[in-house]
């Protein structure tokens, strides 16, 4: 778990390692790539305190390979030695290690400004928007998720809002919280939230604090800290249109199945096309030198026909992110964004169209 924060690209050798510290009946593990840091502690029988930086990936692979029928692992380092012995049952490894002087000092959770958040609610909210976060590191602010804690519908309620966008789509999720949380916001790397979800739950809540340029999460004996992303996040209030010309509703599972089937033929940069006519929706895709597919669904639509194209992957992920038996697609015209949502759900997924030829 800790080694997921080990750097795989840095030229700084110590960042490719896991800091192992033995003291006071515990072994502490820590790793960082200077953007994300994870620390965790385990009870141990400590005979002589000390610390070293072990090569992260090799250390993990060795530990995973240890005999599963043995219950105890022994780590030994002789005074002044640049190697550790790792043993379990009949298995034994010797690993080269580095000194700890160059290992970065990691952020620690202060006593002030710490509050508790329901783990399931936080991670569920994040999972609904995370797919819309950008993977293009040339625009760092879009690789993050905007997290806002603000006043809710009543004095006893608070609202958690998360927003993600890659400039081609935008996902917004609002969730009401019980209890008292301060009003604050931060842009947190989407990668950090994904790693937070991987940490096993020890209880239903975790502690959160925003300290200087770091966001710190504490989950029992494990702490995850990440750098805040600086910059101006796009305003979702201004980007989501207030009114639409057409609102079409369809059973979500059936709509999703058709999109998945037709999207097989939306290869490379080819769009998936949605053509709305009186009483019908035709979903089609065509890629030159590959083939084409189309499928028709009955819908409640009237008026002048409209055809709009979307990125097939973005459309599929948007429908998947909507929770409910019925999905609602709101449209203005073929060159304005469409909006996916479900009645009674505080989730909005805005998706930019692809201009169709002709």
């Amino acid at each position: 778990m800790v080694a997921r924060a080990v750097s795989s690209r840095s030229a700084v050798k110590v960042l490719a390692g896991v800091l192992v510290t033995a003291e006071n009946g515990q072994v502490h593990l820590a790793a960082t790539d200077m953007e994300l840091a994870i620390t965790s502690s385990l009870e141990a029988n400590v005979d002589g305190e000390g610390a070293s930086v072990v090569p992260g990936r090799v250390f993990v692979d060795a530990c995973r390979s240890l005999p599963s029928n043995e219950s105890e692992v022994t780590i030994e380092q002789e005074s002044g030695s640049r190697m550790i012995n790792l043993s379990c049952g009949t298995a034994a490894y010797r690993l080269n290690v580095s000194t700890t002087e160059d290992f970065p000092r990691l952020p620690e959770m202060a006593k002030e400004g710490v509050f508790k958040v329901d783990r399931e609610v936080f991670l569920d909210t994040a999972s609904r928007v995370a797919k819309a976060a950008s993977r293009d590191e040339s625009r760092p602010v879009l690789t993050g998720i905007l997290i806002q804690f603000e006043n809710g519908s009543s004095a006893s309620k608070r609202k958690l809002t998360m927003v993600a966008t890659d400039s081609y789509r935008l996902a917004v999720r609002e969730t009401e919280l019980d209890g008292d949380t301060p009003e604050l916001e931060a842009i947190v790397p989407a990668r950090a939230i994904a790693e937070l979800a991987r940490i096993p739950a020890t209880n239903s809540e975790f502690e959160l604090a925003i300290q200087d340029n770091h966001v710190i999460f504490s989950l029992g004996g494990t702490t995850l800290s990440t750098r805040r992303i600086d910059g101006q996040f796009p305003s979702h209030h201004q980007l989501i249109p207030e009114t639409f010309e057409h609102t079409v509703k369809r059973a979500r599972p059936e709509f999703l199945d058709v999109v998945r089937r037709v999207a097989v033929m939306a290869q490379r940069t080819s769009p998936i096309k949605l053509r709305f006519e009186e009483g019908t929706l035709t979903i089609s895709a065509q890629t030159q030198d590959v083939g084409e597919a189309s499928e028709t669904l009955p819908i409640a639509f009237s008026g002048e026909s409209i055809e709009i194209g979307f990125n097939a992957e973005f459309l599929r992920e948007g429908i998947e992110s909507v929770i409910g038996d019925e999905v609602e697609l709101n449209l203005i015209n073929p060159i304005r964004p469409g909006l996916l949502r479900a009645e009674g759900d505080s989730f909005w997924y805005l998706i930019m169209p692809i201009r169709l030829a002709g």
Side-chain angles (χ1 to χ4, degrees):
M1 180 178 65
V2 168
R4 295 190 64 83
V6 164
S7 175
S8 59
R9 295 179 293 180
S10 175
V12 181
K13 182 180 178 181
V14 75
L15 297 183
V18 172
L19 173 64
V20 181
T21 305
E23 61 182 6
N24 301 325
Q26 287 191 318
V27 57
H28 308 288
L29 306 174
T32 182
D33 60 4
M34 300 305 291
E35 297 295 329
L36 176 74
I38 303 176
T39 64
S40 194
S41 301
L42 298 165
E43 290 186 358
N45 296 318
V46 177
D47 181 14
E49 299 182 348
S52 281
V53 179
V54 300
R57 300 302 178 193
V58 174
F59 187 51
V60 170
D61 290 342
C63 289
R64 283 177 175 163
S65 301
L66 296 175
S68 58
N69 60 339
E70 297 288 342
S71 61
E72 198 168 79
V73 176
T74 301
I75 301 175
E76 295 177 301
Q77 182 178 15
E78 295 181 8
S79 179
S81 173
R82 285 297 185 92
M83 299 195 79
I84 64 165
N85 299 316
L86 172 68
S87 61
C88 178
T90 58
Y93 294 90
R94 284 174 58 81
L95 303 177
N96 289 306
V97 297
S98 305
T99 58
T100 62
E101 284 83 357
D102 296 329
F103 196 86
R105 181 179 176 84
L106 303 182
E108 296 181 1
M109 183 81 80
K111 294 181 179 180
E112 299 81 19
V114 178
F115 61 97
K116 293 183 178 181
V117 181
D118 185 285
R119 180 183 185 275
E120 184 177 349
V121 169
F122 185 92
L123 293 178
D124 177 68
T125 303
S127 69
R128 300 283 297 278
V129 305
K131 290 179 181 178
S134 176
R135 296 169 181 80
D136 182 2
E137 295 184 1
S138 66
R139 300 182 68 185
V141 72
L142 299 187
T143 64
I145 297 175
L146 175 65
I147 299 175
Q148 297 175 318
F149 291 91
E150 51 194 343
N151 291 328
S153 59
S154 65
S156 61
K157 294 285 187 180
R158 292 292 184 267
K159 184 171 68 174
L160 169 62
T161 302
M162 294 195 191
V163 189
T165 180
D166 58 7
S167 76
Y168 301 104
R169 53 186 170 161
L170 177 140
V172 183
R173 167 69 171 162
E174 294 179 352
T175 307
E176 282 207 329
L177 302 173
D178 293 318
D180 190 26
T181 58
E183 288 193 45
L184 54 84
E185 72 173 45
I187 305 172
V188 179
R191 175 201 168 202
I193 302 299
E195 294 301 339
L196 183 68
R198 293 174 181 267
I199 297 175
T202 53
N203 52 51
S204 61
E205 293 182 318
F206 60 74
E207 292 183 321
L208 188 155
I210 297 177
Q211 298 172 188
D212 299 324
N213 61 340
H214 284 89
V215 181
I216 305 175
F217 302 88
S218 179
L219 304 89
T222 301
T223 299
L224 182 149
S225 61
T226 181
R227 286 186 179 274
R228 294 175 65 174
I229 298 176
D230 294 326
Q232 185 67 38
F233 202 86
S235 171
H236 61 280
H237 298 293
Q238 296 178 359
L239 292 173
I240 297 178
E242 294 182 359
T243 60
F244 293 88
E245 296 295 322
H246 306 281
T247 297
V248 179
K249 296 181 180 181
R250 197 70 182 82
R252 177 183 169 276
E254 187 177 9
F255 187 30
L256 180 57
D257 285 345
V258 173
V259 168
R260 283 173 173 164
R261 286 195 292 267
V262 174
V264 171
M265 289 301 173
Q267 301 288 321
R268 300 190 284 270
T269 59
S270 297
I272 190 167
K273 301 177 185 178
L274 279 63
R275 183 172 182 81
F276 298 88
E277 298 176 291
E278 191 77 29
T280 63
L281 164 61
T282 301
I283 303 174
S284 64
Q286 180 180 20
T287 301
Q288 192 172 3
D289 302 327
V290 176
E292 59 185 67
S294 68
E295 202 161 336
T296 300
L297 292 171
I299 57 165
F301 181 87
S302 60
E304 188 175 344
S305 63
I306 178 175
E307 185 175 52
I308 189 167
F310 294 113
N311 176 293
E313 180 185 359
F314 293 173
L315 179 62
R316 174 183 56 79
E317 291 184 344
I319 301 170
E320 288 173 344
S321 299
V322 172
I323 301 298
D325 296 330
E326 192 174 62
V327 62
E328 180 183 296
L329 176 59
N330 298 273
L331 300 170
I332 300 175
N333 59 47
I335 61 173
R336 295 289 302 279
L339 181 72
L340 290 166
R341 63 177 304 273
E343 189 173 347
D345 187 19
S346 298
F347 173 79
W348 299 268
Y349 187 94
L350 194 71
I351 177 171
M352 293 294 294
I354 295 175
R355 190 181 292 270
L356 300 176

